[in-house]
Amino acid sequence: MSSDKIQSVSEDELIKTFMNRNSGGILQVISRYVSLGKVGSKYVGLCPFHLEETPSFTVDDTAGVFHCFGCLLSGNVGNFSDLAKSRNVKPIGTR
């Protein structure tokens, strides 16, 4: 799938698609909000839910989950989307 096509798909469509699968889509949703870098088999970045200087937010694409070791929030792609909406977290590029 091209990046142009990925960007044109709504977040709700992505979530519905990936909730029906165990993994694979969580990176596409979370990377809209967090700049992630690969460290080993996981992806790491600054948590969008609290202020921090050292990355403590991890995404395990294989398991389809995220976890922040700073604020202890964790879950799947649906949980992340709900938290982002309820906490008014803006996607990268719209901040």
Side-chain angles (χ1 to χ4, degrees):
M1 188 181 291
S2 74
S3 63
D4 293 337
K5 193 170 186 176
I6 290 171
Q7 294 300 323
S8 66
V9 176
S10 78
E11 187 170 319
D12 289 335
E13 290 175 74
L14 279 173
I15 291 167
K16 284 179 193 173
T17 299
F18 298 122
M19 288 299 286
N20 292 328
R21 301 179 191 170
N22 261 348
S23 64
I26 196 164
L27 281 178
Q28 288 180 309
V29 172
I30 292 180
S31 65
R32 291 181 176 192
Y33 297 89
V34 180
S35 179
L36 297 168
K38 188 162 179 135
V39 176
S41 64
K42 296 184 171 75
Y43 294 82
V44 179
L46 297 174
C47 182
F49 304 120
H50 68 97
L51 295 175
E52 64 181 2
E53 294 180 16
T54 303
S56 65
F57 186 84
T58 61
V59 179
D60 185 332
D61 190 34
T62 304
V65 296
F66 73 91
H67 179 75
C68 177
F69 291 93
C71 65
L72 303 180
L73 290 174
S74 61
N76 60 27
V77 66
N79 301 128
F80 180 87
S81 181
D82 291 344
L83 284 165
K85 287 177 186 175
S86 70
R87 293 172 181 235
N88 202 28
V89 176
K90 303 290 185 210
I92 297 171
T94 61
R95 297 179 192 163

